[in-house]
Amino acid sequence: MKEDSIEVDVRNAIRDNNPDQIEVSISNLLDSETIHEYTELLNELLITPNHYNHQEIAKTLQEIKSPTTIPFVKKALETNFDYLDYTCSDSDTIAKWFSWILYSIGNNDAITLIEEYTNSPDKGISNEMKYRLNKIKTIH
């Protein structure tokens, strides 16, 4: 598959709401040797429902460490994770994906967002962000 067609394929599959094609196109995206060039698309996919690759996308974004991901993590944390019900995971488990992304980015904006969500009314999110913030403080 040509690299320049990967983004088009992902966007078309999501637009058409074709579950099989969504999975194939996201798999092709994640297998791309130039994955870092698709950071903006990965950011969008992090908060896009109707696919089953959120955890792998979160892990990829953690490795990329782009500050452009921070607003997307914030949007994800603002949801009640309904779009991630397919994972059968509690909020603390899901929040861990996002806390690791922020921890990996590690800039002031990322740390500020972690701090903000230590006060989340969702105890799973709050506990995970407190844990991650303590890890940051022990490093610095």
mmCIF file of all heavy atoms in Angstrom, residues 55-85:
data_model
loop_
_atom_site.group_PDB
_atom_site.id
_atom_site.type_symbol
_atom_site.label_atom_id
_atom_site.label_comp_id
_atom_site.label_asym_id
_atom_site.label_seq_id
_atom_site.Cartn_x
_atom_site.Cartn_y
_atom_site.Cartn_z
ATOM 1 N N GLN A 55 -6.244 1.263 22.299
ATOM 2 C CA GLN A 55 -5.107 0.993 23.163
ATOM 3 C C GLN A 55 -3.798 0.978 22.358
ATOM 4 O O GLN A 55 -2.792 1.539 22.792
ATOM 5 C CB GLN A 55 -5.290 -0.331 23.903
ATOM 6 C CG GLN A 55 -4.216 -0.577 24.934
ATOM 7 C CD GLN A 55 -4.499 -1.788 25.801
ATOM 8 O OE1 GLN A 55 -5.421 -2.552 25.555
ATOM 9 N NE2 GLN A 55 -3.697 -1.966 26.827
ATOM 10 N N GLU A 56 -3.811 0.371 21.211
ATOM 11 C CA GLU A 56 -2.608 0.345 20.374
ATOM 12 C C GLU A 56 -2.262 1.747 19.867
ATOM 13 O O GLU A 56 -1.087 2.114 19.792
ATOM 14 C CB GLU A 56 -2.788 -0.618 19.196
ATOM 15 C CG GLU A 56 -1.508 -0.890 18.476
ATOM 16 C CD GLU A 56 -1.612 -2.028 17.474
ATOM 17 O OE1 GLU A 56 -2.657 -2.694 17.392
ATOM 18 O OE2 GLU A 56 -0.621 -2.239 16.767
ATOM 19 N N ILE A 57 -3.278 2.529 19.564
ATOM 20 C CA ILE A 57 -3.048 3.907 19.140
ATOM 21 C C ILE A 57 -2.456 4.707 20.301
ATOM 22 O O ILE A 57 -1.507 5.480 20.120
ATOM 23 C CB ILE A 57 -4.353 4.540 18.602
ATOM 24 C CG1 ILE A 57 -4.671 3.909 17.241
ATOM 25 C CG2 ILE A 57 -4.245 6.061 18.516
ATOM 26 C CD1 ILE A 57 -6.063 4.173 16.735
ATOM 27 N N ALA A 58 -2.994 4.505 21.501
ATOM 28 C CA ALA A 58 -2.449 5.191 22.676
ATOM 29 C C ALA A 58 -0.982 4.826 22.887
ATOM 30 O O ALA A 58 -0.148 5.701 23.156
ATOM 31 C CB ALA A 58 -3.275 4.853 23.916
ATOM 32 N N LYS A 59 -0.657 3.561 22.750
ATOM 33 C CA LYS A 59 0.730 3.117 22.910
ATOM 34 C C LYS A 59 1.630 3.757 21.846
ATOM 35 O O LYS A 59 2.742 4.201 22.146
ATOM 36 C CB LYS A 59 0.790 1.582 22.808
ATOM 37 C CG LYS A 59 2.169 1.009 22.867
ATOM 38 C CD LYS A 59 2.789 1.138 24.237
ATOM 39 C CE LYS A 59 4.090 0.353 24.292
ATOM 40 N NZ LYS A 59 5.120 1.032 25.022
ATOM 41 N N THR A 60 1.153 3.833 20.625
ATOM 42 C CA THR A 60 1.927 4.458 19.545
ATOM 43 C C THR A 60 2.151 5.936 19.835
ATOM 44 O O THR A 60 3.260 6.457 19.673
ATOM 45 C CB THR A 60 1.224 4.255 18.195
ATOM 46 O OG1 THR A 60 1.052 2.849 17.971
ATOM 47 C CG2 THR A 60 2.010 4.867 17.055
ATOM 48 N N LEU A 61 1.104 6.622 20.295
ATOM 49 C CA LEU A 61 1.244 8.041 20.625
ATOM 50 C C LEU A 61 2.178 8.249 21.811
ATOM 51 O O LEU A 61 2.904 9.244 21.867
ATOM 52 C CB LEU A 61 -0.130 8.662 20.891
ATOM 53 C CG LEU A 61 -0.987 8.840 19.638
ATOM 54 C CD1 LEU A 61 -2.432 9.169 20.011
ATOM 55 C CD2 LEU A 61 -0.397 9.905 18.723
ATOM 56 N N GLN A 62 2.177 7.318 22.732
ATOM 57 C CA GLN A 62 3.113 7.369 23.858
ATOM 58 C C GLN A 62 4.546 7.326 23.335
ATOM 59 O O GLN A 62 5.419 8.059 23.811
ATOM 60 C CB GLN A 62 2.844 6.203 24.793
ATOM 61 C CG GLN A 62 3.803 6.085 25.945
ATOM 62 C CD GLN A 62 3.586 4.801 26.723
ATOM 63 O OE1 GLN A 62 2.519 4.225 26.723
ATOM 64 N NE2 GLN A 62 4.628 4.343 27.381
ATOM 65 N N GLU A 63 4.785 6.504 22.342
ATOM 66 C CA GLU A 63 6.130 6.380 21.757
ATOM 67 C C GLU A 63 6.509 7.611 20.930
ATOM 68 O O GLU A 63 7.676 8.000 20.900
ATOM 69 C CB GLU A 63 6.214 5.119 20.915
ATOM 70 C CG GLU A 63 6.104 3.848 21.745
ATOM 71 C CD GLU A 63 5.850 2.592 20.923
ATOM 72 O OE1 GLU A 63 5.744 2.676 19.680
ATOM 73 O OE2 GLU A 63 5.749 1.518 21.547
ATOM 74 N N ILE A 64 5.530 8.219 20.272
ATOM 75 C CA ILE A 64 5.803 9.394 19.439
ATOM 76 C C ILE A 64 6.109 10.625 20.294
ATOM 77 O O ILE A 64 6.923 11.462 19.932
ATOM 78 C CB ILE A 64 4.622 9.651 18.465
ATOM 79 C CG1 ILE A 64 4.553 8.514 17.430
ATOM 80 C CG2 ILE A 64 4.747 11.010 17.784
ATOM 81 C CD1 ILE A 64 3.331 8.554 16.530
ATOM 82 N N LYS A 65 5.420 10.765 21.436
ATOM 83 C CA LYS A 65 5.675 11.843 22.407
ATOM 84 C C LYS A 65 5.424 13.243 21.856
ATOM 85 O O LYS A 65 6.162 14.182 22.149
ATOM 86 C CB LYS A 65 7.103 11.764 22.950
ATOM 87 C CG LYS A 65 7.453 10.461 23.589
ATOM 88 C CD LYS A 65 8.899 10.420 24.017
ATOM 89 C CE LYS A 65 9.243 9.040 24.543
ATOM 90 N NZ LYS A 65 10.615 8.933 24.975
ATOM 91 N N SER A 66 4.375 13.410 21.065
ATOM 92 C CA SER A 66 4.093 14.714 20.466
ATOM 93 C C SER A 66 3.192 15.560 21.371
ATOM 94 O O SER A 66 2.115 15.104 21.765
ATOM 95 C CB SER A 66 3.407 14.543 19.116
ATOM 96 O OG SER A 66 2.991 15.790 18.617
ATOM 97 N N PRO A 67 3.590 16.790 21.650
ATOM 98 C CA PRO A 67 2.716 17.690 22.411
ATOM 99 C C PRO A 67 1.366 17.941 21.732
ATOM 100 O O PRO A 67 0.411 18.325 22.408
ATOM 101 C CB PRO A 67 3.529 18.985 22.511
ATOM 102 C CG PRO A 67 4.956 18.551 22.350
ATOM 103 C CD PRO A 67 4.909 17.380 21.400
ATOM 104 N N THR A 68 1.268 17.686 20.437
ATOM 105 C CA THR A 68 -0.020 17.879 19.751
ATOM 106 C C THR A 68 -1.078 16.896 20.247
ATOM 107 O O THR A 68 -2.263 17.097 20.014
ATOM 108 C CB THR A 68 0.120 17.723 18.221
ATOM 109 O OG1 THR A 68 0.495 16.372 17.901
ATOM 110 C CG2 THR A 68 1.129 18.715 17.648
ATOM 111 N N THR A 69 -0.659 15.867 20.942
ATOM 112 C CA THR A 69 -1.587 14.855 21.444
ATOM 113 C C THR A 69 -2.299 15.303 22.711
ATOM 114 O O THR A 69 -3.389 14.812 23.022
ATOM 115 C CB THR A 69 -0.825 13.535 21.687
ATOM 116 O OG1 THR A 69 -0.187 13.145 20.459
ATOM 117 C CG2 THR A 69 -1.734 12.424 22.159
ATOM 118 N N ILE A 70 -1.744 16.257 23.428
ATOM 119 C CA ILE A 70 -2.299 16.664 24.723
ATOM 120 C C ILE A 70 -3.772 17.064 24.640
ATOM 121 O O ILE A 70 -4.582 16.580 25.450
ATOM 122 C CB ILE A 70 -1.438 17.775 25.365
ATOM 123 C CG1 ILE A 70 -0.043 17.222 25.662
ATOM 124 C CG2 ILE A 70 -2.092 18.327 26.634
ATOM 125 C CD1 ILE A 70 0.985 18.275 26.058
ATOM 126 N N PRO A 71 -4.205 17.914 23.704
ATOM 127 C CA PRO A 71 -5.631 18.264 23.656
ATOM 128 C C PRO A 71 -6.543 17.064 23.388
ATOM 129 O O PRO A 71 -7.687 17.022 23.846
ATOM 130 C CB PRO A 71 -5.733 19.279 22.516
ATOM 131 C CG PRO A 71 -4.351 19.729 22.243
ATOM 132 C CD PRO A 71 -3.430 18.653 22.719
ATOM 133 N N PHE A 72 -6.042 16.069 22.693
ATOM 134 C CA PHE A 72 -6.833 14.877 22.399
ATOM 135 C C PHE A 72 -6.956 13.992 23.641
ATOM 136 O O PHE A 72 -8.008 13.404 23.881
ATOM 137 C CB PHE A 72 -6.243 14.120 21.211
ATOM 138 C CG PHE A 72 -6.363 14.894 19.931
ATOM 139 C CD1 PHE A 72 -5.379 15.789 19.549
ATOM 140 C CD2 PHE A 72 -7.479 14.745 19.123
ATOM 141 C CE1 PHE A 72 -5.502 16.530 18.379
ATOM 142 C CE2 PHE A 72 -7.613 15.472 17.948
ATOM 143 C CZ PHE A 72 -6.625 16.366 17.581
ATOM 144 N N VAL A 73 -5.902 13.940 24.423
ATOM 145 C CA VAL A 73 -5.979 13.220 25.694
ATOM 146 C C VAL A 73 -6.996 13.912 26.596
ATOM 147 O O VAL A 73 -7.814 13.255 27.240
ATOM 148 C CB VAL A 73 -4.598 13.133 26.372
ATOM 149 C CG1 VAL A 73 -4.714 12.609 27.798
ATOM 150 C CG2 VAL A 73 -3.655 12.258 25.553
ATOM 151 N N LYS A 74 -6.961 15.225 26.607
ATOM 152 C CA LYS A 74 -7.930 15.985 27.423
ATOM 153 C C LYS A 74 -9.359 15.660 26.987
ATOM 154 O O LYS A 74 -10.232 15.412 27.826
ATOM 155 C CB LYS A 74 -7.661 17.483 27.330
ATOM 156 C CG LYS A 74 -8.610 18.321 28.183
ATOM 157 C CD LYS A 74 -8.193 19.765 28.194
ATOM 158 C CE LYS A 74 -9.128 20.670 28.947
ATOM 159 N NZ LYS A 74 -9.384 20.331 30.318
ATOM 160 N N LYS A 75 -9.595 15.641 25.681
ATOM 161 C CA LYS A 75 -10.935 15.305 25.180
ATOM 162 C C LYS A 75 -11.339 13.898 25.606
ATOM 163 O O LYS A 75 -12.486 13.658 25.982
ATOM 164 C CB LYS A 75 -10.993 15.434 23.659
ATOM 165 C CG LYS A 75 -11.017 16.857 23.173
ATOM 166 C CD LYS A 75 -11.069 16.936 21.660
ATOM 167 C CE LYS A 75 -10.937 18.368 21.199
ATOM 168 N NZ LYS A 75 -10.901 18.480 19.747
ATOM 169 N N ALA A 76 -10.412 12.972 25.543
ATOM 170 C CA ALA A 76 -10.713 11.594 25.952
ATOM 171 C C ALA A 76 -11.063 11.543 27.437
ATOM 172 O O ALA A 76 -12.016 10.866 27.843
ATOM 173 C CB ALA A 76 -9.527 10.686 25.655
ATOM 174 N N LEU A 77 -10.305 12.268 28.250
ATOM 175 C CA LEU A 77 -10.566 12.278 29.686
ATOM 176 C C LEU A 77 -11.874 12.972 30.034
ATOM 177 O O LEU A 77 -12.451 12.706 31.090
ATOM 178 C CB LEU A 77 -9.399 12.937 30.427
ATOM 179 C CG LEU A 77 -8.077 12.162 30.401
ATOM 180 C CD1 LEU A 77 -6.939 13.019 30.936
ATOM 181 C CD2 LEU A 77 -8.198 10.858 31.168
ATOM 182 N N GLU A 78 -12.347 13.845 29.160
ATOM 183 C CA GLU A 78 -13.623 14.532 29.385
ATOM 184 C C GLU A 78 -14.822 13.630 29.110
ATOM 185 O O GLU A 78 -15.935 13.944 29.518
ATOM 186 C CB GLU A 78 -13.707 15.791 28.512
ATOM 187 C CG GLU A 78 -12.767 16.886 28.956
ATOM 188 C CD GLU A 78 -12.688 18.045 27.974
ATOM 189 O OE1 GLU A 78 -13.199 17.935 26.835
ATOM 190 O OE2 GLU A 78 -12.092 19.069 28.341
ATOM 191 N N THR A 79 -14.603 12.531 28.423
ATOM 192 C CA THR A 79 -15.696 11.597 28.148
ATOM 193 C C THR A 79 -15.868 10.687 29.352
ATOM 194 O O THR A 79 -15.053 10.682 30.266
ATOM 195 C CB THR A 79 -15.394 10.716 26.911
ATOM 196 O OG1 THR A 79 -14.389 9.762 27.263
ATOM 197 C CG2 THR A 79 -14.948 11.546 25.717
ATOM 198 N N ASN A 80 -16.885 9.894 29.325
ATOM 199 C CA ASN A 80 -17.027 8.872 30.365
ATOM 200 C C ASN A 80 -16.557 7.521 29.829
ATOM 201 O O ASN A 80 -16.901 6.488 30.362
ATOM 202 C CB ASN A 80 -18.457 8.813 30.886
ATOM 203 C CG ASN A 80 -19.458 8.549 29.779
ATOM 204 O OD1 ASN A 80 -19.080 8.336 28.628
ATOM 205 N ND2 ASN A 80 -20.728 8.550 30.123
ATOM 206 N N PHE A 81 -15.774 7.559 28.771
ATOM 207 C CA PHE A 81 -15.172 6.384 28.134
ATOM 208 C C PHE A 81 -16.206 5.434 27.534
ATOM 209 O O PHE A 81 -15.894 4.260 27.302
ATOM 210 C CB PHE A 81 -14.255 5.621 29.101
ATOM 211 C CG PHE A 81 -13.078 6.404 29.645
ATOM 212 C CD1 PHE A 81 -12.652 6.189 30.947
ATOM 213 C CD2 PHE A 81 -12.388 7.314 28.877
ATOM 214 C CE1 PHE A 81 -11.558 6.879 31.460
ATOM 215 C CE2 PHE A 81 -11.301 8.011 29.379
ATOM 216 C CZ PHE A 81 -10.887 7.792 30.683
ATOM 217 N N ASP A 82 -17.408 5.922 27.252
ATOM 218 C CA ASP A 82 -18.431 5.066 26.632
ATOM 219 C C ASP A 82 -17.933 4.445 25.334
ATOM 220 O O ASP A 82 -18.234 3.298 25.039
ATOM 221 C CB ASP A 82 -19.707 5.861 26.326
ATOM 222 C CG ASP A 82 -20.580 6.063 27.542
ATOM 223 O OD1 ASP A 82 -20.313 5.413 28.579
ATOM 224 O OD2 ASP A 82 -21.527 6.855 27.466
ATOM 225 N N TYR A 83 -17.201 5.226 24.556
ATOM 226 C CA TYR A 83 -16.731 4.724 23.260
ATOM 227 C C TYR A 83 -15.666 3.637 23.417
ATOM 228 O O TYR A 83 -15.280 2.994 22.451
ATOM 229 C CB TYR A 83 -16.240 5.869 22.375
ATOM 230 C CG TYR A 83 -14.917 6.495 22.765
ATOM 231 C CD1 TYR A 83 -13.767 6.239 22.037
ATOM 232 C CD2 TYR A 83 -14.815 7.369 23.854
ATOM 233 C CE1 TYR A 83 -12.551 6.820 22.365
ATOM 234 C CE2 TYR A 83 -13.613 7.952 24.192
ATOM 235 C CZ TYR A 83 -12.484 7.678 23.449
ATOM 236 O OH TYR A 83 -11.291 8.262 23.784
ATOM 237 N N LEU A 84 -15.229 3.424 24.651
ATOM 238 C CA LEU A 84 -14.230 2.395 24.931
ATOM 239 C C LEU A 84 -14.826 1.211 25.703
ATOM 240 O O LEU A 84 -14.084 0.367 26.222
ATOM 241 C CB LEU A 84 -13.060 3.005 25.718
ATOM 242 C CG LEU A 84 -12.331 4.148 25.003
ATOM 243 C CD1 LEU A 84 -11.350 4.841 25.938
ATOM 244 C CD2 LEU A 84 -11.633 3.645 23.760
ATOM 245 N N ASP A 85 -16.149 1.137 25.753
ATOM 246 C CA ASP A 85 -16.822 0.034 26.456
ATOM 247 C C ASP A 85 -16.377 -1.335 25.945
ATOM 248 O O ASP A 85 -16.344 -2.297 26.704
ATOM 249 C CB ASP A 85 -18.343 0.138 26.323
ATOM 250 C CG ASP A 85 -18.951 1.162 27.264
ATOM 251 O OD1 ASP A 85 -18.247 1.630 28.181
ATOM 252 O OD2 ASP A 85 -20.140 1.497 27.073
#
